[in-house]
Amino acid sequence: MSQTEKNGMISTGNSDLDSRLQQWFQWNQNEDQNVEVREMMEKQDVATLSKLFLERMQFGTAGLRGRMGPGFAQMNDLLVIQTAQGLLKYLQGAFQDLAGRGVVVGFDGRHNSRRFAELTAAVFEQAGVRVNLFAEVCPTPFVPFAITHCNHVAGVMVTASHNPKEDNGYKVYGSLGTQITSPVDKEIQRCILESLEPTIAWEVTLSPDTLDQAQLVDTAEAYYAVLKAGVFNAEANAESPLNVTYTAMHGVGYPFIVKAFEVANFKPVIPVVEQVEPDPEFPTVKFPNPEEGKSALNLAIATANAHNSTLIVANDPDADRLAVAEKTRQGDWKVFTGNELGALLGWWSLYTYQRRTPDPDLSNVYMLSSTVSSMILKTMAKQERFNFEETLTGFKWMGTRSAELKAQGKTVLFAYEESIGFMCGTGVLDKDGVSAAVRVTELATFLQSNQGLSLSEKLNYIYSFYGYHISEISYYICHEPEVIKKL
């Protein structure tokens, strides 16, 4: 028995910490994590124990995201159960038709993602709420799409996106198929704190209704139908001279990209075989984020060079972001920034809309970007006389505003954020790396076949016509919740 645990009592010298530890052992049934906590107690590591148990991971507009491990400040079974119970309580108060409309739950390929998704489904199922649980890993954009397609009141995606392998996360979408905004996050956090004691069995057995995939299969078919409807020239795509290399970055994207390229009438992508299957260890990359540039794309570049490929498209592990690299005429590789891709996709979105729509009235057409992104779309809007709106940082704002505009009968062509997030149309009211990969490949095909241009050359033309928009972007990584909160 630990020196801090005698006669069934815990004594660390801090009564608040003792109470939290007692609560943890009372509720948590993950014995591996209980052993880990007792080892810390044996070592009298009060500083680490205080950090893990006196602090609590806060639910925000991005849900939860953080390191996996024991304690109320990390991602684990108990924290997920508490979060799901709080979300359930909030939705019960907000939607009288919750039980019938239900929720959708998806997950990526990270450690514990399936487990966290099943625990969430169990919480809602026990309360008599209809649950659509994806049976296998899926891209994040499939969850918001399923919400609107199936008329769910909410959705949960278990993912930490492109974070390090030690992390996981819990993202919540509202009834519009958009990420939640304040004050909803604060209401959910309040409900979580009122729902801390677990009410479900630790060993999850889900009902056949929850495991039934019929509606989710229909959802996937509907997603690809929307994607196909947006294809500009299927015949030209079939004749595309491009060999496209694709990396899933050890994430979920590959089978969905394969289907998307088939639907768009492209020949199959050339996969980076070392990175094509979901692998929670991310063994070939230091950081599974294609936004890192060449350091994350070295295997993709090697694969492309070996297959006479001049275009690389890369998703992050949950396939909601897209990175693109192009081989220049000089034989070097250019990795595009998010702002550069935003300029290219903005131009393409407008061009294809004008060609599809006889005598287009651009007074009801919109594009959006967030305040941390380039203002290239704003400049385009002034020149071409469509509408541009700038939002606060994050797709939660662009998605929500797009939903409002759509409800007013407006047409939202495109929205983006510099961190390689792109929303092409309003089929998914969030960033979508699958559809964006198809649109970039369509653009590259069109440019090469019709204008003899590369993406880089077209970008220079866009800048020479609308004005140069230059940016220098970097980031800092912070793991301290209090510092993040202050920022």
Side-chain angles (χ1 to χ4, degrees), residues 41 77 207 235 326 348 362 365 444 462:
M41 293 167 63
D77 288 358
S207 72
E235 291 76 17
E326 179 184 63
W348 181 239
L362 297 183
V365 170
I462 290 170

Side-chain angles (χ1 to χ4, degrees), residues 24 28 30 32-34 36-37 40 52-53 57 66-79 112 116 166-168:
W24 169 267
N28 182 61
N30 184 317
D32 289 340
Q33 290 185 345
N34 285 343
E36 191 176 342
V37 174
M40 284 185 262
L52 296 181
F53 289 92
M57 190 179 295
R67 205 172 183 88
M68 289 179 280
F72 300 119
Q74 299 195 100
M75 292 291 297
N76 51 64
D77 288 358
L78 179 57
L79 191 81
N112 298 313
F116 294 164
E166 295 83 7
D167 291 1
N168 214 323

Side-chain angles (χ1 to χ4, degrees), residues 227-237 264 266 348-357 438-439 442-443 446 450:
L227 185 66
K228 185 174 183 177
V231 169
F232 180 60
N233 191 332
E235 291 76 17
N237 291 352
F266 286 117
W348 181 239
S349 298
L350 181 63
Y351 177 87
T352 55
Y353 178 77
Q354 289 175 317
R355 293 307 178 276
R356 287 170 176 270
T357 310
V438 170
R439 302 300 173 228
E442 281 195 289
L443 171 58
F446 169 82
N450 292 273

Side-chain angles (χ1 to χ4, degrees), residues 274-290:
E274 300 93 336
Q275 298 174 335
V276 79
E277 295 293 333
D279 188 334
E281 288 295 311
F282 306 110
T284 67
V285 289
K286 182 178 179 181
F287 198 50
N289 183 3

Side-chain angles (χ1 to χ4, degrees), residues 150-221:
C150 302
N151 194 33
H152 290 309
V153 302
V156 172
M157 179 67 189
V158 180
T159 179
S161 190
H162 52 270
N163 275 38
K165 67 179 183 180
E166 295 83 7
D167 291 1
N168 214 323
Y170 196 93
K171 182 180 285 190
V172 174
Y173 291 87
S175 60
L176 296 176
T178 60
Q179 295 180 44
I180 61 170
T181 57
S182 255
V184 173
D185 60 323
K186 294 178 176 58
E187 286 299 303
I188 294 173
Q189 174 68 10
R190 177 183 61 79
C191 290
I192 291 170
L193 296 178
E194 295 172 355
S195 312
L196 295 178
E197 185 170 357
T199 60
I200 63 168
W202 215 257
E203 295 302 320
V204 174
T205 302
L206 297 170
S207 72
D209 286 344
T210 295
L211 298 174
D212 182 10
Q213 295 297 293
Q215 196 166 30
L216 293 175
V217 169
D218 177 69
T219 296
E221 291 174 352

Side-chain angles (χ1 to χ4, degrees), residues 340 343-348 376 380 443 455 457-469:
E340 290 171 336
L344 286 163
L345 285 169
W347 179 87
W348 181 239
I376 183 66
M380 286 185 184
L443 171 58
L455 290 171
E457 290 162 346
K458 185 63 181 181
L459 180 64
N460 286 331
Y461 169 80
I462 290 170
Y463 284 156
S464 66
F465 187 80
Y466 295 106
Y468 286 83
H469 292 66

Side-chain angles (χ1 to χ4, degrees), residues 129-445:
V129 176
R130 183 168 70 92
V131 182
N132 265 334
L133 172 67
F134 280 90
E136 301 297 337
V137 297
C138 71
T140 290
F142 274 44
V143 168
F145 184 86
I147 292 171
T148 54
H149 181 70
C150 302
N151 194 33
H152 290 309
V153 302
V156 172
M157 179 67 189
V158 180
T159 179
S161 190
H162 52 270
N163 275 38
K165 67 179 183 180
E166 295 83 7
D167 291 1
N168 214 323
Y170 196 93
K171 182 180 285 190
V172 174
Y173 291 87
S175 60
L176 296 176
T178 60
Q179 295 180 44
I180 61 170
T181 57
S182 255
V184 173
D185 60 323
K186 294 178 176 58
E187 286 299 303
I188 294 173
Q189 174 68 10
R190 177 183 61 79
C191 290
I192 291 170
L193 296 178
E194 295 172 355
S195 312
L196 295 178
E197 185 170 357
T199 60
I200 63 168
W202 215 257
E203 295 302 320
V204 174
T205 302
L206 297 170
S207 72
D209 286 344
T210 295
L211 298 174
D212 182 10
Q213 295 297 293
Q215 196 166 30
L216 293 175
V217 169
D218 177 69
T219 296
E221 291 174 352
Y223 173 89
Y224 291 118
V226 171
L227 185 66
K228 185 174 183 177
V231 169
F232 180 60
N233 191 332
E235 291 76 17
N237 291 352
E239 301 299 323
S240 175
L242 296 176
N243 294 320
V244 181
T245 297
Y246 172 75
T247 176
M249 204 65 67
H250 299 295
V252 305
Y254 180 61
F256 303 95
I257 286 286
V258 168
K259 180 65 176 177
F261 270 60
E262 176 187 319
V263 164
N265 223 23
F266 286 117
K267 59 189 171 186
V269 295
I270 301 163
V272 180
V273 294
E274 300 93 336
Q275 298 174 335
V276 79
E277 295 293 333
D279 188 334
E281 288 295 311
F282 306 110
T284 67
V285 289
K286 182 178 179 181
F287 198 50
N289 183 3
E291 195 179 358
E292 295 291 302
K294 289 182 180 179
S295 63
L297 296 176
N298 53 1
L299 278 176
I301 290 171
T303 299
N305 286 335
H307 291 83
N308 193 30
S309 171
T310 57
L311 183 67
I312 294 170
V313 293
N315 287 138
D316 66 342
D318 67 325
D320 66 346
R321 299 174 193 259
L322 177 76
V324 177
E326 179 184 63
K327 196 169 191 175
T328 67
R329 298 189 192 278
Q330 292 73 38
D332 300 322
W333 283 91
K334 173 178 174 55
V335 181
F336 293 92
T337 68
N339 283 324
E340 290 171 336
L341 290 174
L344 286 163
L345 285 169
W347 179 87
W348 181 239
S349 298
L350 181 63
Y351 177 87
T352 55
Y353 178 77
Q354 289 175 317
R355 293 307 178 276
R356 287 170 176 270
T357 310
D359 300 319
D361 177 11
L362 297 183
S363 65
N364 286 315
V365 170
Y366 285 75
M367 293 193 201
L368 298 84
S369 65
S370 69
T371 190
V372 295
S373 305
S374 162
M375 290 294 104
I376 183 66
L377 298 185
K378 182 178 182 180
T379 304
M380 286 185 184
K382 288 180 180 178
Q383 180 79 13
E384 304 294 346
R385 308 227 178 247
F386 63 87
N387 299 282
F388 167 78
E389 289 196 10
E390 179 184 359
T391 72
L392 296 173
T393 304
F395 258 90
K396 56 182 175 286
W397 300 111
M398 286 183 281
T400 299
R401 181 55 181 153
S402 295
E404 292 170 353
L405 290 169
K406 187 178 178 182
Q408 295 168 15
K410 311 298 185 183
T411 298
V412 179
L413 294 180
F414 178 63
Y416 92 96
E417 189 158 75
E418 55 78 23
S419 52
I420 60 172
F422 310 100
M423 187 186 89
C424 301
T426 53
V428 175
L429 292 171
D430 195 18
K431 54 186 176 290
D432 180 357
V434 177
S435 63
V438 170
R439 302 300 173 228
V440 165
T441 306
E442 281 195 289
L443 171 58
T445 295

